[in-house]
Every structure is written in structure tokens, then in C-alpha cells.
């Protein structure tokens, strides 16, 4: 699909170049609404491609941030809590069933599991504190969980921006196909009998 889309854009750009290079003979075409539509469309595509590049860079950056915050939540907060709970089941038997969530969990599921673990630990906060956990270890856990939630929301927003730009380019390409067909008819009429320019015009056709 990407290759096909690029073929259409390459053809439209080649047609624009041809019309500029042979402006004298194609003057009526260059003054027509379809030529204006071609120029406007290519400017819009350029703008959307720039938006896509920006969104893609932001999406990649947000993905790295999300992965970092997920790792912090799992390894720096959940893992010590769960491991201690399993070792000290004699102090709080209900906590023996706790497990560190899988790294492959979806963001929403990881947040849900973290919340459930926190709720189970709350009544046994003193047991953890007596073994050296800081007094605010559950607050730190909640903050790390919220950091994941925020990073996930930012990541999803950037992904939507990226996908929206791709969809917009797709719609422009569809319009470009129609413009190319109209241009072909208009230009062929102007070039009637000029074999060299007809061959050059045909060379612009890539789809």
C-alpha cells in the first residue's frame, strides 16, 4: 500500500514538473482549476508528511518513556514488595499469592494489577515498614503507577496523530488519482501531434 501510494505521489510530482517545464504549450492547462487543485494537493501532502514525521518521532520517544516507566514500576516497586511478601508469608499469609505482573501485560492490565496488589498490601503496611520499607512505599508505588498511566496516554495520543496523518495522506492520494486522470486528458489534447512531448508525458505515468 505504501509503495502504491508513493507511486501516485511520484506521478503527480512528475506531472507538475512537466507542466512547469512546458508552460508555454500547456498554458491553458496551467490556468485551469485542475492545475490549481494539483498544486494545492501536493502542498497538502507535503504538510501531512511533515506532520507524520513529527508524530512518528514523538511516538517513538513516548514509547521509550512508557517502557522506561513500566520497567521502573515493575522492577523498582512491585518486585521488592512481592518478593518480600512471598518470603514473609508467615507474617501476612494473604500476601503469599502475590506475583510480579508479566512484562507483556497491556498497560491498562498492569495498572489494574498494581492497584490490586496495593490494596492487598495496605492492611499490612506495618509489616513492610518493620523490615525496612520506607513509610511512603505505597505512595511511591501509586506515583509510579500514575506515571505509567500518563505515559501510556501520551503514547496513545502520539500514535493517533501518526495514524491520522497517514490516513490524511491516503485521502489525498485518492483525490490525486482523479486529478491525474483529468490532467492526462487535458494535456494529451494540448500535445496532439507532438510525438516527443507525448512520449515525455507518458513517462510521467507510474500507476
Amino acid at each position: 500500500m505504501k509503495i502504491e501510494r508513493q507511486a501516485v505521489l511520484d506521478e503527480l510530482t512528475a506531472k507538475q514538473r512537466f507542466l512547469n517545464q512546458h508552460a508555454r504549450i500547456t498554458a491553458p492547462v496551467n490556468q485551469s482549476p485542475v492545475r490549481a487543485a494539483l498544486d494545492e494537493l501536493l502542498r497538502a501532502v507535503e504538510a501531512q508528511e511533515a506532520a507524520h514525521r513529527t508524530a512518528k518521532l514523538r511516538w517513538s520517544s513516548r514509547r521509550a518513556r512508557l517502557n522506561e516507566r513500566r520497567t521502573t514500576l515493575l522492577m523498582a516497586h512491585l518486585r521488592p514488595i512481592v518478593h518480600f511478601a512471598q518470603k514473609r508469608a508467615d507474617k501476612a499469609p494473604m500476601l503469599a499469592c502475590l506475583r510480579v505482573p508479566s512484562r507483556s501485560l497491556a498497560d491498562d492490565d498492569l495498572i489494574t494489577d498494581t492497584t490490586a496488589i496495593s490494596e492487598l498490601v495496605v492492611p499490612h503496611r506495618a509489616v513492610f515498614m518493620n523490615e525496612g520499607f520506607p513509610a511512603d512505599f505505597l505512595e511511591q508505588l501509586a506515583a509510579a503507577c500514575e506515571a505509567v498511566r500518563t505515559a501510556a496516554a501520551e503514547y496513545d495520543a502520539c500514535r493517533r496523530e501518526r495514524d491520522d496523518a497517514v490516513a490524511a495522506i491516503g485521502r489525498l492520494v485518492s483525490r490525486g488519482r482523479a486529478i491525474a486522470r483529468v490532467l492526462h486528458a487535458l494535456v494529451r489534447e494540448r500535445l496532439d501531434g507532438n510525438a516527443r512531448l507525448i512520449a515525455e508525458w507518458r513517462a510521467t505515468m507510474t500507476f
Side-chain angles (χ1 to χ4, degrees), residues 72-83:
T72 297
L73 174 62
L74 285 165
M75 305 306 292
H77 297 278
L78 287 171
R79 188 174 182 181
I81 291 172
V82 170
H83 283 189

Side-chain angles (χ1 to χ4, degrees), residues 41-54:
L41 183 138
L42 288 176
R43 285 193 296 270
V45 168
E46 185 177 356
Q48 288 298 335
E49 286 180 335
H52 177 255
R53 288 191 296 271
T54 299

